[in-house]
Amino acid sequence: MSETTTVTETGGTSDPLGDETLAQRALALDAADELGEHRERFALDAGTVYLDGNSLGALPAHVPARMADVITREWGELRIRSWDESGWWTAPERIGDRIAPIVGAAPGQIVVGDSTSVNVFKAVVAAARLAGEGRDEILVDATTFPTDGYIAESAARMTGHRIVPVAPAGMAGAAGPRTAAALVNHVDYRTGRLHDLPGITAALRAAGALAVWDLCHSAGALPVGLDAHGVDLAVGCTYKYLNGGPGSPAYLYVAERHQAAFDSPLPGWNSHSDPFAMTPGYEAAAGAVRGRVGTPDILSMLALEAALDVWDGVAIEDVRAKSLALTDFFLECVRAYVPEGRVATVTPEAHGERGSQAALSCANAPAVMAELIRRGVVGDLRRPDVLRFGFTPLYVGFADAERAARILSEVLTDLPA
């Protein structure tokens, strides 16, 4: 567990009156929830509390029909014509512009395609090149998702830089005249801790370095403000809170001010200024298109595009307000129901430091999560001892939170400590 993690002991004794009161409150909160009507737009079953949207978002119910049309008509009938007539060729930028308002970006700065890992590589190498001569270190979030660290190390070897692991809380103070860039996770994947994107970005820019943010656990769950906070480059996946589907393509944000000098380490024919000229020499296209590489994965790309329809008319600020209310209520229920000493909260209590998940440390966590799933509460875990519960406000309600905490208490009572 990292030194920046907050651990709070939690536990209590349930009684029938307390249980009834929390259950009644949950129903009242759901009745007043203005986002609650969006739940019907997802394929969910009444017997399951799905709290793993921070790993794989639920299926928007209209996506299968859209994909049937893509496969039978656009591919089956129009075939090659669909690159033009169905807009396949422009999908990476078009879908990027749909993601842009969710993460606080103006149009023309996000391109969709490839995996998060590939986009991390593009962003880190490009940031090191943009920083120029005399800056030979890349700061990396010491608590980062492992792949980000692996990719950053490879990018450093390729560009002649050295990696400096730094806890996010110390990132601002670590940046100096030799710092080219920093790769930071907006939300910690284990604990759900929200890191200070505005403050860290400002400190990096003041030091002359570039800020590269991984938004995998924040985009679609809370306001990001890429443009407002002066972020240089960012990457993120689309299969968590954006509900794009398993393995759906990731995205790359390149701030408009960097696009003319953005030098991708993976130049491909899709990012060429004249891709169908098929010339041997590479000339980069203008704008965020420079982030493209090869032929996009159209089926998963268009499934993502359809999934983004659930965001029509939704304000990310409302999503954030419900997310905080849900996680507050869940943790309150855990304190009321779970036997004392059986779990400890590792997600920060402070709203300004919390993403959209609640993480609990627990002995015998793998067995506990397996039994929770068997009883209809689907979360996940990070070994050795962290239970993770992701709260996706578009389809998770307060009754879900209460039920999950109550069943967790039952599981912990039934299993040996």
Side-chain angles (χ1 to χ4, degrees):
M1 193 172 296
S2 74
E3 62 185 17
T4 61
T5 299
T6 298
V7 179
T8 304
E9 293 294 335
T10 185
T13 303
S14 64
D15 60 78
L17 179 60
D19 291 2
E20 181 182 9
T21 301
L22 286 170
Q24 289 176 338
R25 277 182 54 202
L27 293 176
L29 288 166
D30 280 335
D33 175 22
E34 295 183 357
L35 291 179
E37 63 185 21
H38 292 275
R39 183 185 180 103
E40 65 187 27
R41 303 189 70 180
F42 292 86
L44 297 164
D45 56 281
T48 300
V49 176
Y50 188 66
L51 301 180
D52 208 8
N54 54 330
S55 286
L56 177 63
L59 170 69
H62 66 283
V63 169
R66 169 59 179 143
M67 293 313 296
D69 181 64
V70 169
I71 292 169
T72 59
R73 184 181 62 85
E74 295 186 7
W75 179 15
E77 297 175 14
L78 295 178
R79 292 177 287 274
I80 196 71
R81 291 161 54 194
S82 278
W83 286 104
D84 293 320
E85 295 179 27
S86 301
W88 289 1
W89 184 260
T90 58
E93 298 85 61
R94 181 178 71 245
I95 302 170
D97 283 348
R98 293 195 65 184
I99 293 172
I102 300 174
V103 294
Q109 300 179 99
I110 294 179
V111 64
V112 173
D114 304 313
S115 67
T116 305
S117 300
V118 171
N119 284 316
V120 167
F121 182 72
K122 297 176 199 172
V124 173
V125 171
R129 291 172 173 175
L130 284 165
E133 299 294 329
R135 293 180 176 270
D136 62 355
E137 66 180 23
I138 298 171
L139 308 183
V140 175
D141 179 349
T143 62
T144 191
F145 188 77
T147 293
D148 283 17
Y150 307 155
I151 294 291
E153 289 177 0
S154 178
R157 291 194 300 271
M158 177 178 176
T159 58
H161 290 65
R162 65 189 182 94
I163 292 293
V164 181
V166 181
M171 194 71 70
R178 297 182 63 176
T179 306
L183 173 62
V184 199
N185 282 258
H186 196 191
V187 173
D188 186 283
Y189 76 100
R190 291 186 188 88
T191 68
R193 175 179 288 276
L194 174 65
H195 298 306
D196 181 12
L197 182 147
I200 293 172
T201 299
L204 288 167
R205 293 191 65 190
L210 283 81
V212 181
W213 285 90
D214 183 329
L215 310 179
C216 284
H217 287 269
S218 60
L222 52 90
V224 177
L226 292 177
D227 287 352
H229 300 306
V231 169
D232 299 293
L233 299 149
V235 302
C237 67
T238 61
Y239 48 78
K240 301 183 192 298
Y241 297 107
L242 297 181
N243 311 296
S248 57
Y251 58 90
L252 170 68
Y253 164 88
V254 182
E256 192 278 334
R257 65 185 178 277
H258 292 308
Q259 289 177 3
F262 180 81
D263 184 7
S264 174
L266 296 172
W269 77 287
N270 264 231
S271 62
H272 197 284
S273 61
D274 187 2
F276 290 96
M278 303 295 177
T279 57
Y282 179 76
E283 180 181 326
V289 176
R290 290 186 176 208
R292 293 176 64 158
V293 185
T295 305
D297 185 340
I298 288 299
L299 296 184
S300 61
M301 184 89 63
L302 298 185
L304 166 63
E305 182 174 36
L308 291 171
D309 289 348
V310 300
W311 287 92
D312 291 347
V314 174
I316 192 65
E317 292 78 13
D318 293 339
V319 171
R320 175 59 168 167
K322 182 178 175 183
S323 165
L324 292 172
L326 277 170
T327 47
D328 278 344
F329 184 66
F330 174 73
L331 293 174
E332 179 183 353
C333 291
V334 169
R335 285 190 290 268
Y337 293 165
V338 172
E340 187 172 356
R342 295 300 303 274
V343 299
T345 303
V346 297
T347 300
E349 297 280 351
H351 285 182
E353 299 176 359
R354 187 194 311 165
S356 197
Q357 74 180 48
L360 306 173
S361 67
C362 173
N364 202 17
V368 171
M369 183 53 69
E371 184 61 19
L372 279 170
I373 293 171
R374 193 185 71 80
R375 299 188 191 191
V377 176
V378 179
D380 68 9
L381 66 102
R382 288 294 177 262
R383 294 195 300 268
D385 63 348
V386 174
L387 305 173
R388 297 196 317 169
F389 303 94
F391 289 84
T392 306
L394 291 185
Y395 57 77
V396 173
F398 293 90
D400 294 323
E402 188 273 338
R403 180 181 169 194
R406 178 162 35 85
I407 294 177
L408 173 62
S409 174
E410 295 168 359
V411 169
L412 291 172
T413 300
D414 293 344
L415 292 179

